[in-house]
Amino acid sequence: RVDQLKYDVQHLQTALRNFQHRRYIREQQERQREELLARTFTTNDSDTTIPIDETLQFNESLQNAHRGVDDLIGSGTNILQGLRDQRVTLKGTHKKILDVANMLG
């Protein structure tokens, strides 16, 4: 009978602790909810600014470098095309000189 009473007391104490813990949690949640509802929200401080100017300058520099490389590639292509045209012209001139030399003997 004493063991049964000890078990009942422990069981009731555990149930009481669980009930008190749930009540404490519920009260804490209600308190936090009330704090949130009572709070007046304002705009963000200036501390949350993003350094976008530096990023824009970096991006602009990259675009300028990209454009410069494209210009260099275009210039190189034009130079190669010019050399090909000169080669064709020199071949034609060389052939005409050989034809004239053959005609003269």
Side-chain angles (χ1 to χ4, degrees):
R1 179 91 179 144
V2 173
D3 289 338
Q4 179 65 31
L5 285 175
K6 286 181 183 179
Y7 174 76
D8 288 344
V9 168
Q10 286 178 348
H11 180 69
L12 288 174
Q13 285 176 343
T14 303
L16 179 63
R17 278 194 300 269
N18 285 339
F19 175 75
Q20 287 173 338
H21 180 68
R22 284 193 308 256
R23 184 173 154 206
Y24 172 76
I25 294 290
R26 191 178 328 114
E27 288 174 356
Q28 185 180 15
Q29 288 173 346
E30 287 176 11
R31 206 171 34 254
Q32 288 174 349
R33 187 178 305 115
E34 289 300 320
E35 286 176 11
L36 278 175
L37 291 174
R39 179 184 291 175
T40 56
F41 291 96
T42 59
T43 59
N44 291 336
D45 296 333
S46 63
D47 295 340
T48 58
T49 58
I50 299 171
I52 202 161
D53 291 337
E54 296 171 7
T55 306
L56 284 175
Q57 288 174 353
F58 180 71
N59 188 25
E60 188 175 324
S61 296
L62 284 177
Q63 287 178 350
N64 288 340
H66 183 72
R67 239 180 270 118
V69 169
D70 283 346
D71 290 344
L72 282 174
I73 290 173
S75 297
T77 303
N78 290 336
I79 290 170
L80 285 175
Q81 188 60 43
L83 288 174
R84 287 184 191 119
D85 292 343
Q86 287 178 10
R87 182 176 146 223
V88 169
T89 303
L90 287 175
K91 273 186 169 183
T93 305
H94 181 69
K95 184 177 178 188
K96 285 183 183 180
I97 290 175
L98 287 177
D99 288 343
V100 169
N102 284 336
M103 285 176 71
L104 293 176

